[in-house]
Amino acid sequence: MIMTATLAIGGTLALATGGALYQAVMVLDCVDGDIARVTHRTSRFGATLDTACDMAANLGFVSGVMVGVVRTYGPGELPVMAAMLAVTVLCMALMTLLLRLGRLEEAEQIR
């Protein structure tokens, strides 16, 4: 996770570079999904793996930003960073729940 490490260094240049790396990761994430759909190589496993990688990238981004912001601006930013982490974890939990609900609906349609 080069992006996370870059963000965690702290300083405005490292935060900006880490942000640019995050954008590159997200663009590449979209491209691989599009290629899979166009070439008809989609699978349930691939979709699950893609979502797991998205969650890991998002958590890495938030974690790196948290450490980098505290290193750059001081420990007074800890409450904001803790709230940011809490929101990220909540969103990941909701995404996991939605994925499981989607699988339940698919199973019901198959029956």
Side-chain angles (χ1 to χ4, degrees):
M1 294 295 264
I2 296 169
M3 168 196 65
T4 304
T6 303
L7 288 164
I9 291 169
T12 54
L13 180 60
L15 290 170
T17 303
L21 289 171
Y22 179 70
Q23 289 299 316
V25 166
M26 291 297 108
V27 167
L28 291 174
D29 175 55
C30 290
V31 169
D32 75 338
D34 288 344
I35 290 172
R37 281 185 287 282
V38 167
T39 60
H40 304 290
R41 295 183 181 175
T42 59
S43 69
R44 185 177 298 170
F45 174 76
T48 302
L49 180 64
D50 185 61
T51 301
C53 289
D54 291 347
M55 288 184 188
N58 291 333
L59 187 59
F61 176 73
V62 170
S63 300
V65 167
M66 286 175 47
V67 173
V69 166
V70 170
R71 283 186 169 177
T72 303
Y73 300 107
E77 301 299 323
L78 280 173
V80 174
M81 297 300 104
M84 198 166 117
L85 180 61
V87 168
T88 301
V89 170
L90 176 64
C91 289
M92 290 173 67
L94 288 173
M95 178 61 95
T96 302
L97 177 65
L98 290 173
L99 283 171
R100 289 179 185 231
L101 288 175
R103 288 195 187 126
L104 288 175
E105 286 180 13
E106 285 178 12
E108 289 295 323
Q109 290 175 357
I110 291 172
R111 290 183 192 174

